[in-house]
Amino acid sequence: MIWRVASYIYQEISNVLLSKSIERMRKRLKRTKGICSCSSPRCINHSTFNWYEQDLWTYIARFLDGRSLVMLGATNKWFNSVIMQDCIWKFTCLRDLQVPDPGHVAFSWSKLYASVVDGSHSFIFRQQEKHIDWMRIGAFSFDSEVAFLSQRMSASVKILKQENIDDMLQSYGSCLLRKIKTGIWIADLQLVRCPVCDQEKCEGTMQMLDARHIELFLNQGFQDGSWDYELVGSHEIKKKVRGAYGAIFDFKYLTSKSTAGIFDYKSWIGQPNDFQPKAIIALHAVAVNTNLQENQEAGVLIKYHTMRAGAEGEIVSIRISQQLL
């Protein structure tokens, strides 16, 4: 199937190029002066188009998905050398994730693309016994090195004026994180088992918004376990709440139009009797919410975890967990 589609695209492009070539030849013949020329249009031998034309196949690759690219690259060595060009996989990755070009990356785009689409998530590599289920939300981008984490469905001017994380957590359950690794981030919604706790009403499961830099899984520090998550803050809502909500914003775009849809929570959290987890993603933000049943309306404990690339390195992963009290 992939060969037929690619062949069709190739043939269409070839026909266009051939038509343009003939038209240019006709124009040249019209400009030729005199009638004693020894050349005749009928004697011109049009060369056969070469199927192994790299520029054409590079163009065709722009219309193929990742799986089709792999299949085409497996055809033979020549196609493999063309398809494995980093520019092709960069275009495919940015197109499928719908994010802007982050500039420099530390790994090849083919490896980055594979790490996103191969079904991997953070609990595959560690703490598998705690994992229950998950779903991919999508990709967003950090342009600035500051992240805003929130458990509220609205932004507050007072929050923006706060600088101390402990004060922000105490007052609003939100915080600012600095030294974020910029670039493309991948967001997942995880359902995990609660850690050992002394909460009598805990049902044993909790929701987690799990976001990571696109390069995380390819770093040796993550793979060998030397990079780990640390608790940076927590906030307890003692009153009853109707839903478990968590959001991550690029602080630079907190009040921009691109994130306005996230604060319009009625448009995406679902009806009150809809208890399925919901998520929304924007160019520079991501949020999740799960409505709680009436008999589950209780307080919530929110915890914020981060992972750094080394002791003093950049933040490469953020987790927001919500646990019923």
Side-chain angles (χ1 to χ4, degrees):
M1 180 62 183
I2 175 61
W3 179 260
R4 290 199 298 270
V5 173
S7 298
Y8 174 78
I9 296 174
Y10 181 91
Q11 189 62 48
E12 289 298 311
I13 296 174
S14 299
N15 291 337
V16 172
L17 294 178
L18 180 58
S19 299
K20 291 182 177 180
S21 177
I22 294 174
E23 183 63 26
R24 287 194 298 268
M25 185 179 297
R26 287 174 177 172
K27 291 181 179 179
R28 287 198 299 268
L29 289 173
K30 288 181 180 179
R31 291 195 297 265
T32 303
K33 296 182 179 180
I35 59 174
C36 57
S37 174
C38 63
S39 61
S40 170
R42 290 173 296 180
C43 299
I44 296 175
N45 181 26
H46 297 291
S47 60
T48 304
F49 279 93
N50 183 11
W51 277 90
Y52 292 95
E53 178 60 47
Q54 181 170 326
D55 289 343
L56 284 176
W57 283 106
T58 300
Y59 180 77
I60 291 171
R62 296 165 63 92
F63 300 93
L64 305 179
D65 59 19
R67 183 172 181 270
S68 299
L69 287 173
V70 172
M71 295 173 63
L72 185 58
T75 304
N76 56 38
K77 291 183 178 180
W78 186 87
F79 276 110
N80 183 264
S81 65
V82 173
I83 296 304
M84 291 310 296
Q85 293 181 89
D86 214 37
C87 63
I88 290 178
W89 288 100
K90 177 181 180 179
F91 177 88
T92 304
C93 193
L94 298 180
R95 178 199 64 193
D96 291 356
L97 298 181
Q98 299 182 25
V99 290
D101 185 353
H104 173 74
V105 292
F107 300 91
S108 69
W109 282 99
S110 60
K111 290 183 178 180
L112 292 174
Y113 186 83
S115 71
V116 174
V117 302
D118 65 358
S120 298
H121 57 83
S122 59
F123 282 90
I124 284 182
F125 299 90
R126 60 190 74 177
Q127 298 178 319
Q128 294 185 22
E129 70 282 357
K130 295 183 179 181
H131 192 253
I132 299 175
D133 201 0
W134 75 293
M135 75 173 188
R136 173 61 45 80
I137 301 174
F140 66 106
S141 179
F142 266 109
D143 283 352
S144 74
E145 296 182 351
V146 182
F148 177 72
L149 313 185
S150 177
Q151 52 80 28
R152 297 162 61 101
M153 291 189 181
S154 62
S156 172
V157 176
K158 294 182 179 180
I159 294 179
L160 303 182
K161 295 180 179 180
Q162 295 283 356
E163 294 184 358
N164 184 279
I165 291 180
D166 293 333
D167 291 342
M168 293 181 65
L169 286 169
Q170 183 69 24
S171 301
Y172 306 103
S174 306
C175 70
L176 290 177
L177 297 177
R178 305 184 187 278
K179 208 174 180 180
I180 302 292
K181 184 175 177 62
T182 60
I184 302 171
W185 281 59
I186 308 300
D188 298 328
L189 177 61
Q190 308 281 1
L191 181 64
V192 298
R193 294 181 176 86
C194 281
V196 177
C197 64
D198 56 2
Q199 302 294 332
E200 295 181 358
K201 296 182 180 180
C202 178
E203 297 185 356
T205 61
M206 66 179 183
Q207 171 182 286
M208 179 181 292
L209 173 56
D210 185 9
R212 61 176 173 88
H213 193 274
I214 192 173
E215 298 176 3
L216 178 62
F217 291 171
L218 301 177
N219 279 282
Q220 184 63 34
F222 176 82
Q223 295 176 359
D224 62 20
S226 60
W227 299 356
D228 206 354
Y229 289 94
E230 61 177 350
L231 179 67
V232 295
S234 63
H235 178 71
E236 186 175 312
I237 304 176
K238 296 182 179 180
K239 63 180 181 179
K240 291 184 178 181
V241 294
R242 295 184 177 276
Y245 174 87
I248 302 173
F249 297 87
D250 183 337
F251 184 70
K252 178 181 178 181
Y253 298 93
L254 180 60
T255 58
S256 72
K257 293 182 179 180
S258 64
T259 56
I262 290 181
F263 293 117
D264 183 17
Y265 62 92
K266 291 183 179 180
S267 66
W268 64 272
I269 65 171
Q271 298 298 318
N273 60 350
D274 184 354
F275 307 114
Q276 292 297 316
K278 298 292 189 297
I280 184 173
I281 199 158
L283 189 58
H284 300 288
V286 61
V288 297
N289 179 79
T290 300
N291 294 328
L292 303 177
Q293 299 182 28
E294 292 184 3
N295 60 351
Q296 289 182 322
E297 289 186 7
V300 175
L301 176 63
I302 299 98
K303 293 183 178 180
Y304 301 122
H305 290 82
T306 62
M307 175 184 288
R308 292 183 178 272
E312 302 297 329
E314 297 174 307
I315 293 176
V316 292
S317 184
I318 300 171
R319 284 177 172 176
I320 303 177
S321 63
Q322 294 101 5
Q323 176 184 352
L324 292 180
L325 297 177

